[in-house]
């Protein structure tokens, strides 16, 4: 027997199908403006998935006015669409040129550069093929708008739909932040803005508000710094002599994965060839497990006993400017975010800043070769005395985002211990590939400096290390000050000097290479290397001074001294150290 379907049922089914298609067409229209760039970012593996996910969520919000005012669907979608279209053109153009996501860091570059630099930066957006991209983008938006139709819902249906959109996107996260996690209002608002920011037009709107907020924070720090008195009785051993001093700061690089330190894999082929030119320090550790906290000590006089000196005493940048050096800060780290305000502050203490990484998320594909051209430009500057800081992205997670395809060198288990399963081995491979690419970057910087044939010195240190399944039970990747392990803090550090520099300072640093040392006191060591002494200089804290005094290598937050631990490094090679936990003392 045939089952008869009533005309009423068929009509209801058809209406339901039609309503779903209308809903889908409306959503696709709103999502298109954010989605096109995010899809391209995912297709090119340029960044992590979170931005795409947030754009998917936030695009639902534009359905609310259409649901409430269905008679004006065409007008509402046209008005919202024009706004979204205008801001999406900027995001799309930025992706086409830089293969990155538009962020508040881009706004910082544009607004804080001088007019000539801003014009040059903006000019890079406009390529001959861009009008064709804009036309295609606009036509696709117009095509989707043509398919937009009102949604036929009852008032009860509209209310339910609006609640289903608003509650998960804004209400539940608000309740979680404010009433469950008990976050401050400032953090609640900040989290809301960050959830909205990946979608149009909030990329521009929220990006601008975030930029203004962080700029205010940074300006307050700069005002405090400008009020500091200069270092008293400054004496320059090399006064009047031209010279270029370079400080390269690495990222997340543990020396336990460097071939230069005995790691069994060939992760540093270029530096291995140059090792006779390097003074390689074998037992240096970082005082903290995060970049900013490390640099707050390494670049200032702050340490375990003087945690407040970050803002009460001059930094390395102040020191070098006082000594008559023109200062440069070149960074491939993110520019100005809530987390990285201190990095922007340090950079702004320099005379010249170059920011090469404007991605929204640190876990985006970005290569340190970005710093090569700015570095060459700084070297070409006519100033006789130059101090150049180069801050690399190094081997920061995601490791596979830190090196181009041609550096995908380690692909199997060769040279890896048996305790790693295949998934862990793949993670280690990507980390070791990132180290190998970092080796190429460092060697290139030194060769570029050497080619100048000038009196010059380059010092490299990583900010902190990284545990990549190195410590029993071999389950952890990353850093955790609450459960410190040696790979998290054991860092590479070396000094390279030109032949011209050695003529002025023939001293061999061999006596200092195996000293146990924390970069909490790095400013004292740098002062010695640069030949600068002043009231308050402490030779006992300088790694390269004959008056050096061994101190406990404390790690942890100096404002919570009871929680700090001392890492005591066994007097073993890096090959022997690999996989062994550190001894921790209270």
């Amino acid at each position: 027997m045939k089952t008869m379907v009533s005309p009423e049922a068929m009509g209801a089914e058809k209406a339901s199908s039609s309503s779903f298609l209308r809903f889908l067409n409306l959503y696709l229209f709103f999502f298109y403006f954010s989605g096109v760039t995010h899809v391209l970012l995912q297709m090119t593996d340029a960044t992590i998935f979170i931005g795409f996910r947030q754009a998917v969520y936030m695009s639902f919000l534009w359905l609310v006015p259409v649901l409430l005012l269905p008679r004006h669907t065409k007008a509402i979608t046209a008005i919202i669409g024009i706004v979204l279209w205008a801001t999406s053109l900027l995001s799309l153009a930025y992706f086409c040129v830089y293969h990155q996501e538009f962020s508040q860091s881009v706004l910082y570059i544009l607004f804080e550069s001088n007019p000539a630099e801003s014009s040059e930066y903006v000019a890079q957006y406009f390529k001959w093929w861009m009008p064709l991209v804009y036309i295609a983008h606009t036509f696709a938006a117009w095509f989707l708008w043509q398919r937009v139709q009102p949604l036929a819902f009852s008032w009860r249906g509209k209310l339910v739909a609006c609640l289903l959109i608003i509650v998960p996107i804004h209400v539940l996260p608000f309740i979680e932040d404010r009433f469950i996690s008990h976050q401050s209002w400032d953090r609640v608002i900040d989290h809301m803005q960050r959830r909205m920011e990946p979608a149009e037009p909030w990329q521009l709107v929220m990006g601008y508000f975030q930029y203004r907020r962080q700029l205010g924070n940074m300006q307050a720090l700069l005002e405090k710094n400008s009020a500091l008195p200069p270092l008293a009785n400054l004496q320059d051993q090399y006064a009047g002599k031209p010279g270029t001093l370079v400080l390269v700061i690495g990222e997340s690089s543990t020396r336990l994965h460097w071939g230069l330190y005995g790691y069994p894999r060939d992760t540093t082929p270029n530096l291995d060839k140059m090792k006779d030119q390097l003074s390689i320090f074998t037992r240096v550790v970082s005082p903290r497990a995060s970049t900013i906290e490390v640099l707050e000590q390494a670049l200032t006089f702050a340490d375990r006993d003087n945690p407040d000196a970050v803002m009460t005493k001059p930094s390395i940048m102040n020191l070098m400017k006082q000594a008559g050096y023109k200062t440069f800060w070149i960074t491939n780290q993110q520019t100005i975010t809530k987390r990285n305000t201190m990095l922007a502050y340090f950079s702004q203490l320099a005379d010249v800043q170059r920011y090469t990484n404007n991605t929204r998320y640190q876990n985006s594909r970005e290569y340190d070769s970005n710093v090569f051209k700015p570095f060459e430009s700084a070297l070409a500057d006519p100033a006789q005395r130059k101090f150049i800081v180069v801050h690399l992205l190094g081997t920061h997670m995601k490791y596979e985002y830190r090196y181009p395809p041609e550096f995908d060198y380690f692909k199997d288990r060769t040279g890896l211990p048996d305790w790693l399963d295949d998934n862990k081995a793949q993670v280690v491979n990507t980390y070791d590939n990132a180290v190998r690419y970092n080796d190429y970057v460092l060697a290139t910087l030194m060769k570029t400096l050497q080619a100048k044939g000038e009196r010059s010195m380059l010092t490299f240190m990583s900010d902190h290390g990284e545990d990549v399944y190195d410590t029993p039970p071999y389950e952890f990747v990353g850093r955790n000050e609450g459960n410190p392990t040696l790979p998290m803090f054991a860092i590479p550090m070396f000094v390279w000097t030109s032949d011209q520099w050695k003529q002025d300072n023939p001293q061999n640093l061999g006596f200092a290479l195996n000293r146990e040392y924390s970069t909490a006191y790095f400013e004292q060591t740098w002062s010695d290397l640069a030949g600068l002494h002043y009231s308050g200089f402490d030779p006992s804290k300088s790694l390269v001074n004959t008056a050096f005094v061994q101190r406990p290598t404390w790690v942890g937050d100096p404002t919570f001294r009871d929680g700090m631990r001392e890492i005591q490094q066994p007097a073993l090679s890096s090959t022997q150290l690999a996989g062994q936990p550190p001894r921790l003392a209270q």
Side-chain angles (χ1 to χ4, degrees):
M1 288 181 60
K2 275 191 174 182
T3 302
M4 299 297 293
V5 180
S6 68
E8 292 81 4
M10 291 179 63
E13 183 178 346
K14 186 175 181 180
S16 176
S17 176
S18 175
S19 295
F20 175 76
L21 288 175
R22 290 186 179 192
F23 184 89
L24 181 62
N25 286 337
L26 272 167
Y27 176 76
L28 287 176
F29 173 73
F30 291 126
F31 173 70
Y32 168 75
F33 299 101
S34 301
V36 64
T37 301
H38 281 288
V39 168
L40 290 170
L41 286 165
Q42 294 303 309
M43 288 176 62
T44 56
D45 195 25
T47 188
I48 54 178
F49 187 70
I50 188 170
F52 179 89
R53 184 188 68 194
Q54 292 304 113
V56 169
Y57 293 161
M58 295 303 162
S59 295
F60 277 103
L61 289 174
W62 298 116
L63 292 170
V64 174
V66 177
L67 284 166
L68 297 177
L69 301 168
R71 288 186 179 181
H72 304 287
T73 293
K74 278 291 188 180
I76 291 172
T77 53
I79 293 170
I80 295 176
I82 289 172
V83 175
L84 299 182
W85 167 79
T87 57
S88 69
L89 287 180
L90 185 61
S91 300
L92 182 59
Y94 189 76
F95 170 81
C96 289
V97 175
Y98 296 101
H99 292 179
Q100 295 178 353
E101 185 179 3
F102 191 88
S103 70
Q104 68 194 61
S105 295
V106 183
L107 297 175
Y108 177 77
I109 298 295
L110 292 175
F111 293 144
E112 298 306 313
S113 301
N114 61 49
E117 291 172 334
S118 295
S119 299
E120 178 184 351
Y121 193 77
V122 172
Q124 294 184 62
Y125 288 137
F126 298 100
K127 309 296 181 182
W128 66 267
W129 43 265
M130 281 194 170
L132 300 178
V133 174
Y134 289 161
I135 291 170
H137 180 63
T138 303
F139 177 80
W142 177 83
F143 174 78
L144 291 172
W145 181 74
Q146 288 290 98
R147 296 170 61 86
V148 165
Q149 292 178 288
L151 294 172
F153 286 152
S154 65
W155 271 105
R156 179 179 295 178
K158 293 175 185 178
L159 181 60
V160 170
C162 290
L163 289 175
L164 287 175
I165 292 171
I166 295 173
V167 170
I169 294 176
H170 280 319
V171 177
L172 292 181
F174 170 79
I175 293 172
E176 164 66 25
D177 286 345
R178 183 60 185 162
F179 299 108
I180 298 178
S181 300
H182 303 290
Q183 303 282 354
S184 67
W185 281 107
D186 183 65
R187 289 185 64 86
V188 170
I189 294 172
D190 181 68
H191 287 175
M192 181 188 71
Q193 290 178 340
R194 292 189 178 280
R195 287 193 297 269
M196 297 177 68
E197 195 175 354
E200 302 292 352
W202 311 118
Q203 279 193 335
L204 189 61
V205 176
M206 298 302 183
Y208 180 76
F209 284 129
Q210 292 281 349
Y211 148 74
R212 293 301 306 178
R213 177 186 296 182
Q214 305 317 324
L215 181 64
N217 294 339
M218 185 183 67
Q219 291 295 343
L221 296 174
L222 291 172
E223 288 176 8
K224 288 183 180 180
N225 182 269
S226 65
L228 295 176
L231 292 162
N233 303 316
L234 178 63
Q235 298 178 6
D236 186 349
Q237 179 181 344
Y238 307 117
K241 293 184 178 181
T244 299
L245 282 68
V246 180
L247 172 61
V248 182
I249 303 171
E251 168 71 55
S252 302
S253 191
T254 176
R255 67 170 183 264
L256 273 64
H257 280 253
W258 278 42
L260 191 67
Y261 285 88
Y263 185 59
R265 300 183 108 186
D266 190 19
T267 54
T268 55
N270 293 288
L271 294 179
D272 288 342
K273 294 175 183 176
M274 303 177 68
K275 62 183 178 182
D276 291 340
Q277 305 174 44
L278 307 177
S279 296
I280 304 167
F281 300 96
T282 63
R283 306 184 72 196
V284 177
V285 298
S286 62
R288 303 294 303 272
S290 298
T291 302
I292 294 168
E293 285 76 7
V294 169
L295 297 187
E296 284 179 339
Q297 295 189 46
L299 300 185
T300 75
F301 289 98
D303 55 36
R304 181 174 183 265
D305 299 319
N306 306 283
D308 296 330
V310 176
M311 297 306 303
T312 60
K313 292 185 178 181
S315 70
I316 280 181
M317 308 306 294
N318 298 116
L319 167 65
M320 299 307 290
K321 291 176 78 170
Q322 185 179 341
Y325 287 83
K326 184 173 182 179
T327 54
F328 302 77
W329 188 283
I330 302 168
T331 179
N332 199 36
Q333 298 258 342
Q334 287 177 304
T335 306
I336 182 167
T337 65
K338 185 173 183 178
R339 169 63 181 160
N340 287 354
T341 299
M342 281 300 296
L343 297 184
Y345 158 72
F346 283 129
S347 73
Q348 286 295 305
L349 294 178
D351 297 311
V352 179
Q353 304 84 25
R354 290 295 302 271
Y355 306 106
T356 63
N357 181 352
N358 301 308
T359 55
R360 182 186 312 281
Y361 303 106
Q362 194 80 294
N363 290 348
S364 298
R365 187 173 294 281
E366 204 60 57
Y367 305 139
D368 279 330
S369 57
N370 290 349
V371 306
F372 290 163
K373 287 185 178 180
F375 185 64
E376 292 170 2
S377 177
L379 292 179
D381 189 277
Q384 291 296 298
R385 288 158 68 87
K386 297 186 284 286
F387 172 52
I388 305 170
V389 177
V390 181
H391 193 185
L392 302 176
L393 200 49
T395 57
H396 192 286
M397 289 184 180
K398 281 186 165 184
Y399 309 135
E400 63 267 31
Y401 283 1
R402 300 295 156 247
Y403 56 91
E406 58 268 27
F407 279 82
D408 188 20
Y409 182 83
F410 300 106
K411 301 179 181 180
D412 55 31
R413 300 183 58 89
T414 302
L416 294 179
D418 294 336
W419 65 68
L420 296 173
D421 60 31
D422 289 343
N423 290 332
K424 293 177 182 176
Q426 180 55 31
V427 173
V428 175
N429 281 341
T430 59
Y431 184 78
D432 287 350
N433 285 331
V435 173
R436 191 176 171 96
Y437 181 67
N438 190 62
D439 163 79
Y440 158 74
V441 171
L442 290 172
T444 300
L445 291 174
M446 282 188 286
K447 291 174 182 176
T448 302
L449 183 59
Q450 186 177 36
K452 296 294 290 183
E454 299 174 347
R455 182 178 169 277
S456 56
M457 175 186 71
L458 182 147
T459 299
F460 169 80
M461 66 171 181
S462 183
D463 54 359
H464 51 75
E466 194 99 330
D467 195 318
V468 191
Y469 302 122
D470 294 304
T471 306
Y474 313 115
E475 297 292 337
F476 183 79
V477 176
R479 292 158 275 128
N480 180 6
E481 278 191 2
N483 186 23
T485 66
L486 184 60
M488 299 176 190
F489 299 93
I491 60 172
M493 177 174 163
F494 62 76
V495 174
W496 173 91
T497 55
S498 68
D499 292 336
Q500 292 80 359
W501 183 278
K502 292 172 184 173
Q503 291 174 8
D504 286 333
N505 189 352
Q507 183 183 34
N508 189 319
L509 298 179
F511 69 92
L513 300 183
N514 295 317
R515 288 173 167 174
E516 198 165 3
Y517 183 71
S518 168
T519 55
Y521 312 115
F522 179 76
E523 184 160 4
Q524 307 282 356
T525 296
W526 177 263
S527 299
D528 238 354
L529 289 170
L532 300 173
H533 301 114
Y534 39 81
S535 298
F537 170 73
D538 186 348
S540 72
K541 293 181 178 179
S542 168
L543 178 60
V544 296
N545 199 291
T546 54
F548 172 77
V549 175
Q550 172 68 54
R551 287 173 167 80
T553 48
W554 294 102
V555 300
D557 185 354
T559 64
F560 180 53
R561 291 170 65 99
D562 290 343
M564 299 186 73
R565 297 291 183 271
E566 180 188 358
I567 284 193
Q568 301 171 336
Q569 304 174 72
L572 303 172
S573 70
S574 290
T575 303
Q576 293 169 305
L577 284 174
Q580 295 196 17
R583 299 193 304 272
L584 299 177
Q586 192 78 22

